[in-house]
Amino acid sequence: FMGSEFVTTDNSSIAVSVIDPDAPLDNTNKIEIFYGIPGSLNNAQLLLSNTNNNELSYTHVTAINSSYYYFAKITQTDGDIIWTSPIWVTRTAVALPILLARFTGSQVSEHIKLNWTTAQETNAGYFDIEYSPDGNHFEKIGMQYSRYQNTNSATNYDFVHASPIKGINFYRLKQFDLDGKYRYSNIIPVMFNQSVVKAIKINPNPVHHILNMLITISENAAILCKIYNAEGREVKALPVTLYAGTNQVTTDVSALATGNYIVVLFKNNERIVETKFIRQ
């Protein structure tokens, strides 16, 4: 979670994943990772970078009892630049009962799935999964026991939160050892988009003259359907009124050149779902 501070007994494992709902119109051109030493009064230095990739992973070798901060600069193909908030990492020699290597979350259908991996477990008891709608006030929503209690092997866990709110949801793990002592993981935010559109299907695909879409929607809504060509240029717009359930929407695309196209549905100027078709 950007802005977090945590302690580890290992090197700094850094991972950046860029997700933009406007992709492929706003793809990532470059990811740059900078690092610095807290309190040194020196400017942060470039650690590494890559191009034309939405993900970057790197392990920064650090010394015991050292501290660093890291942040990312993401440049998109349209020239937009994103700066992340820094994270602060301190490396220590003290062994922790549970060494957490990864803690992530993502939307899966109408739920949020959490995944975490422990690099090692010593005298480990169980995990409480805690949730907050605002990042400040947390409540327990589940619990999982340690699988092995003592292991030096990577161990994977997962948990499904069935009732997230629309927008950003916050999660953390409360990690207990067998003696009852505990420590918290870092807090992660997970975006949940409760789309009014449940499904969109183009049949047949490839399309010859008439684009036929079956759109399943949870409530009555005014939708704007836009079609973009492979270069990202809008070539057609179609406002439609849809009703709860499955709707059939057709439009003539015989004037479009053969090639690949993207259909994007908007509600209240918000991009909610997209799919692709081939015009033959």
Side-chain angles (χ1 to χ4, degrees):
F1 180 39
M2 294 185 298
S4 62
E5 302 179 31
F6 59 93
V7 177
T8 178
T9 58
D10 208 343
N11 295 310
S12 298
S13 295
I14 302 166
V16 179
S17 179
V18 182
I19 301 173
D20 191 322
D22 291 328
L25 303 180
D26 288 338
N27 282 332
T28 301
N29 180 51
K30 181 187 292 187
I31 300 176
E32 298 171 279
I33 301 295
F34 292 83
Y35 78 107
I37 300 175
S40 68
L41 301 181
N42 295 323
N43 292 331
Q45 302 294 315
L46 178 66
L47 182 62
L48 77 158
S49 66
N50 68 2
T51 57
N52 300 320
N53 200 316
N54 289 326
E55 296 185 353
L56 181 152
S57 297
Y58 181 75
T59 298
H60 184 208
V61 178
T62 60
I64 294 175
N65 297 323
S66 63
S67 296
Y68 292 90
Y69 63 89
Y70 305 90
F71 58 87
K73 177 185 178 182
I74 297 106
T75 305
Q76 296 184 303
T77 53
D78 62 359
D80 286 347
I81 295 177
I82 304 153
W83 295 90
T84 71
S85 298
I87 57 173
W88 286 266
V89 182
T90 298
R91 184 174 180 183
T92 178
V94 178
L96 302 173
I98 299 175
L99 182 59
L100 196 64
R102 179 180 66 106
F103 180 32
T104 61
S106 60
Q107 180 175 344
V108 178
S109 185
E110 298 301 307
H111 312 299
I112 285 179
K113 185 175 183 181
L114 304 175
N115 297 275
W116 66 96
T117 301
T118 59
Q120 68 179 41
E121 298 181 15
T122 304
N123 198 38
Y126 60 94
F127 303 87
D128 277 351
I129 299 95
E130 297 188 348
Y131 162 74
S132 171
D134 58 11
N136 293 312
H137 304 92
F138 284 83
E139 63 177 354
K140 178 180 175 181
I141 58 172
M143 185 266 284
Q144 288 202 17
Y145 287 102
S146 166
R147 290 182 179 173
Y148 304 109
Q149 296 183 352
N150 292 281
T151 181
N152 289 320
S153 300
T155 307
N156 297 315
Y157 299 86
D158 61 74
F159 178 83
V160 173
H161 184 202
S163 55
I165 62 170
K166 183 177 181 180
I168 299 178
N169 296 258
F170 297 89
Y171 300 90
R172 70 183 181 187
L173 300 174
K174 191 174 183 179
Q175 307 160 94
F176 287 86
D177 64 23
L178 294 177
D179 300 324
K181 298 178 182 178
Y182 65 87
R183 68 187 300 269
Y184 288 103
S185 72
N186 59 304
I187 299 170
I188 63 168
V190 183
M191 176 64 72
F192 180 73
N193 295 311
Q194 191 175 25
S195 176
V196 67
V197 176
K198 301 302 180 184
I200 177 172
K201 182 179 181 181
I202 294 177
N203 187 34
N205 192 4
V207 177
H208 293 282
H209 301 294
I210 301 299
L211 174 65
N212 181 52
M213 295 179 288
L214 294 177
I215 304 173
T216 303
I217 197 168
S218 61
E219 61 187 42
N220 299 348
I223 299 294
L224 178 60
C225 172
K226 291 187 177 183
I227 301 175
Y228 298 88
N229 62 18
E231 288 74 40
R233 185 178 297 108
E234 180 184 327
V235 294
K236 189 165 188 175
L238 178 69
V240 293
T241 299
L242 302 181
Y243 301 93
T246 300
N247 301 256
Q248 183 173 10
V249 178
T250 60
T251 184
D252 189 348
V253 293
S254 58
L256 300 183
T258 58
N260 298 317
Y261 292 87
I262 300 174
V263 177
V264 182
L265 302 187
F266 295 84
K267 180 177 182 290
N268 297 328
N269 294 321
E270 179 183 354
R271 188 186 189 118
I272 54 177
V273 72
E274 65 183 57
T275 190
K276 299 178 180 180
F277 73 92
I278 300 173
R279 161 78 170 93
Q280 282 190 344

